[in-house]
């Protein structure tokens, strides 16, 4: 039962600590849109998306107005296009991306995810067409996001695709060089991707999902930091309890919004993703939470331990608040989207190598990392391979969203704008991995995959 104190506390979280629902994401299956004729397929997906998501934005705005809870984004995820478009007689899927972009624009969402392929064990013809189409697709569209899952604990790592994705990222950067390689900010490479993630750029509507689903992503790093401010010097057991209780309250807000959106749209409620997703706004930072625990600067020795505690406590609190917690759920560390992370890079306490260590214990991986434009495709592939290995061995989702910005070098800055923020260009290890990446093949799954 809600008390007046609960209501007042929630109001304070929203007004002072930047608590928000980061996204309502409507998942839509496009499997019934399949058709050999590319034009018919594009027409089918446009019609289905615009019909199914016709009221999504209005419903989100109505809930926001009625409950006073900021809902920052309304988004759509669709069946991985490599699957839905498998039967199309075409050499390129760029027209499909354009149809998706037009549908997203028509219904008013800011991003649509699912220009995706799942190739952890191998390619189909549709997978190859989609991956080759990614650079141009992201260059000619505004709202379409793309992802490729190339590894899993069950199947190992597709190193042929790892090699290819380094080249795809470089091509995407070149085709969007006039926008500081913005296309790469809409492209994620996964290991152990999940089917109900509401956050972009990696969202897609998985093959195990129903016809439609409403998934909600909640964010509140500012709320967690504020809660810890009253416990200077407290032991870590106490800190964990405070984070758990705060996460519980944040998740309940997401559950309310998800249930209301589900009812009003007539779409099944999927999950609440309770990830602490930061923004470039001061005070809305995961790095600041870690520093509140006693670190001089994010990246200092102890950062990985602090992040592990935070991630675990967030999950435990959320699980008590909802029976349908899913997605990625934990703490995100996107550099350009987190004011504290940006400051840590600027002062020299946070490097690419330390970020990689942190990904062993956080929700995803190397996220929104801007690197010099002359970083080779093989080096990018090797970075992807390292992250995929962390995910495969630890049975967790890892990802890479890396942006080699043409014409930029270490120490320069890049400005993406909006929630994508800005970032210094991070240094990359100068030693080469070309011969390693050139081997190709598949890294076998680990022993822990044999769980049946």
């Amino acid at each position: 039962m809600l008390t007046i104190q609960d209501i007042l506390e929630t109001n304070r979280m929203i007004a002072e600590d930047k608590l928000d629902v980061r996204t309502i994401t409507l998942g839509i299956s496009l499997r019934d849109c399949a058709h050999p004729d590319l034009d018919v397929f594009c027409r089918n997906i446009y019609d289905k998306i615009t019909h199914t998501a016709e009221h999504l934005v209005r419903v989100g705005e109505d809930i926001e107005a009625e409950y006073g809870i900021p809902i920052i984004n309304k988004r759509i995820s669709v069946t991985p296009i490599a699957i839905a478009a498998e039967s199309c007689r075409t050499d390129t899927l760029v027209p499909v991306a354009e149809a998706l972009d037009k549908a997203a624009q028509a219904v008013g969402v800011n991003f649509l995810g699912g220009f995706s392929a799942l190739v952890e064990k191998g390619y189909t013809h549709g997978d190859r067409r989609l991956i080759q189409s990614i650079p141009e697709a992201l260059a000619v569209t505004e709202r379409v996001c793309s992802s490729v899952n190339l590894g899993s604990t069950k199947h190992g790592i597709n190193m042929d695709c790892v090699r290819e994705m380094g080249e795809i990222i470089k091509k995407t950067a070149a085709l969007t060089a006039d926008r500081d390689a913005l296309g790469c900010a809409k492209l994620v490479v996964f290991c152990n991707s999940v089917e109900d993630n509401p956050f972009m750029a990696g969202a897609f509507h998985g093959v195990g999902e129903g016809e439609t689903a409403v998934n909600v992503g909640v964010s509140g790093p500012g709320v967690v930091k504020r809660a810890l401010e009253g416990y200077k010097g407290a032991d870590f057991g106490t800190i964990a309890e405070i984070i758990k209780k705060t996460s519980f309250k944040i998740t309940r807000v997401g559950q309310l919004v998800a249930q209301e959106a589900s009812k009003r749209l007539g779409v099944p409620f999927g999950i609440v993703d309770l990830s602490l997703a930061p923004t470039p706004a001061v005070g809305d930072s995961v790095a600041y939470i870690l520093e509140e625990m006693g670190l001089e600067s994010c990246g200092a020795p102890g950062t990985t331990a602090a992040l592990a505690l935070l991630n675990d406590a967030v999950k435990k609190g959320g699980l008590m608040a909802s029976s349908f917690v899913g997605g990625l759920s934990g703490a995100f560390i996107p550099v350009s989207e987190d004011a504290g992370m940006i400051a840590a890079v600027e002062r020299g306490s946070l490097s690419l190598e330390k970020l990689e260590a942190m990904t062993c214990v956080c929700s995803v991986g190397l996220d929104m990392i801007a690197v010099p434009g002359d970083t080779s495709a093989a080096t990018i592939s090797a970075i992807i391979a390292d992250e995929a290995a962390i995910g495969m061995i630890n049975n967790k989702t890892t990802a890479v969203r890396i942006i080699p910005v043409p014409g930029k070098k270490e120490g320069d800055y890049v400005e993406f704008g909006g929630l994508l923020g800005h970032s210094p260009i991070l240094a990359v290890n100068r030693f080469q991995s070309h011969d390693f990446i050139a081997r190709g093949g598949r890294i076998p799954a680990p022993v822990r995959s044999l769980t049946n």
Side-chain angles (χ1 to χ4, degrees):
M1 176 176 164
L2 283 175
T3 66
I4 188 67
Q5 185 61 34
D6 292 328
I7 295 170
L8 291 173
E9 184 177 18
T10 301
N11 285 340
R12 179 183 61 76
M13 289 178 177
I14 293 169
E16 300 178 18
D17 303 330
K18 299 182 174 64
L19 173 63
D20 60 55
V21 170
R22 187 56 51 85
T23 179
I24 295 177
T25 300
L26 176 60
I28 303 173
S29 172
L30 299 183
R31 284 187 283 173
D32 60 347
C33 297
H35 197 280
D37 187 297
L38 180 63
D39 292 336
V40 174
F41 176 65
C42 290
R43 186 163 60 249
N44 287 347
I45 64 174
Y46 178 88
D47 290 344
K48 183 164 187 181
I49 291 170
T50 53
H51 173 72
T52 307
E54 179 182 7
H55 304 297
L56 174 62
V57 171
R58 179 181 57 79
V59 164
E61 291 171 346
D62 288 348
I63 294 171
E64 183 175 11
E66 290 175 31
Y67 289 93
I69 301 169
I71 300 174
I72 308 302
N73 300 300
K74 295 83 179 175
R75 296 168 170 171
I76 293 170
S77 62
V78 300
T79 304
I81 291 300
I83 296 172
E86 187 79 53
S87 65
C88 282
R89 293 190 294 264
T90 178
D91 293 327
T92 176
L93 295 179
V94 173
V96 180
E98 293 175 316
L100 293 170
D101 204 47
K102 290 175 183 176
Q105 184 176 9
V107 299
V109 298
N110 69 321
F111 282 123
L112 183 152
F115 196 77
S116 306
L118 311 178
V119 295
E120 54 267 29
K121 202 170 182 180
Y123 297 91
T124 66
H125 295 305
D127 296 327
R128 292 187 185 280
R129 283 200 303 261
L130 183 127
I131 291 171
Q132 287 300 312
S133 299
I134 287 173
E136 185 180 352
L138 296 182
V140 301
T141 61
E142 179 183 354
R143 306 174 193 227
V144 172
C145 293
S146 181
S147 61
V148 175
N149 189 76
L150 48 64
S152 72
T153 300
K154 277 290 186 183
H155 299 115
I157 303 171
N158 181 345
M159 290 299 292
D160 291 328
C161 190
V162 167
R163 179 178 57 201
E164 185 176 16
M165 288 312 299
E167 297 165 356
I168 292 295
I169 289 168
K170 288 287 286 185
K171 290 177 183 176
T172 304
L175 289 180
T176 55
D178 59 330
R179 289 161 279 169
D180 286 331
L182 185 62
C184 296
K186 301 187 292 173
L187 173 58
V188 184
V189 183
F190 277 115
C191 177
N192 287 322
S193 62
V194 296
E195 298 190 335
D196 54 6
N197 164 29
F199 287 99
M200 299 295 166
F204 61 85
H205 189 67
V207 295
E209 296 286 307
E211 185 69 19
T212 54
V214 169
N215 300 317
V216 167
V218 185
S219 181
V223 178
V224 175
K225 180 184 182 298
R226 172 68 73 91
L228 294 182
E229 287 174 356
Y231 293 86
K232 303 287 187 185
D235 65 74
F236 286 115
T238 301
I239 294 299
E241 286 299 312
I242 297 303
I243 295 172
K244 280 165 54 180
K245 291 175 181 177
T246 306
S247 177
F248 177 90
K249 296 169 184 174
I250 293 170
T251 306
R252 294 301 288 176
V253 171
Q255 175 96 348
L256 169 65
V257 170
Q259 289 176 334
E260 279 298 310
S262 170
K263 181 173 66 177
R264 298 182 191 198
L265 289 169
V267 169
F269 163 43
I271 56 91
V272 176
D273 185 320
L274 55 141
S275 297
L276 296 182
T279 72
V282 174
D284 199 23
S285 163
V286 169
Y288 292 159
I289 299 174
L290 306 180
E291 291 167 1
E292 189 62 38
M293 293 186 199
L295 301 170
E296 180 182 1
S297 178
C298 180
T303 296
T304 305
L307 183 59
L309 182 153
L310 173 63
N311 209 56
D312 181 66
V314 164
K315 292 177 187 289
K316 288 174 177 173
L319 285 171
M320 294 300 294
S322 173
S323 296
F324 298 99
V325 170
L328 299 168
S329 288
F332 289 176
I333 53 171
V335 172
S336 77
E337 299 175 9
D338 186 310
M341 296 285 177
I342 295 167
V345 172
E346 290 173 334
R347 68 174 70 101
S349 65
L350 191 60
S351 66
L352 187 60
E353 286 73 16
K354 184 61 178 179
L355 283 162
E356 182 181 296
M358 292 164 67
T359 65
C360 296
V361 298
C362 74
S363 283
V364 193
L366 294 172
D367 197 11
M368 289 302 292
I369 308 291
V371 298
D374 62 0
T375 305
S376 70
T379 294
I380 292 171
S381 292
I383 291 169
I384 292 169
D386 283 343
E387 272 303 300
I390 290 170
M392 176 185 70
I393 295 297
N394 292 293
N395 196 27
K396 70 184 293 293
T397 303
T398 52
V400 173
R401 185 162 49 148
I402 191 168
I403 307 166
V405 186
K408 299 286 186 178
K409 60 184 185 301
E410 178 189 346
D412 289 343
Y413 276 79
V414 61
E415 177 68 54
F416 299 114
L419 284 176
L420 296 177
H422 66 279
S423 177
I425 303 296
L426 275 73
V428 175
N429 191 306
R430 64 184 176 84
F431 293 93
Q432 296 299 308
S433 311
H434 181 272
D435 291 345
F436 173 77
I437 293 300
R439 289 179 179 273
R442 183 154 58 95
I443 293 180
V447 170
R448 69 181 302 164
S449 69
L450 301 175
T451 54
N452 289 332

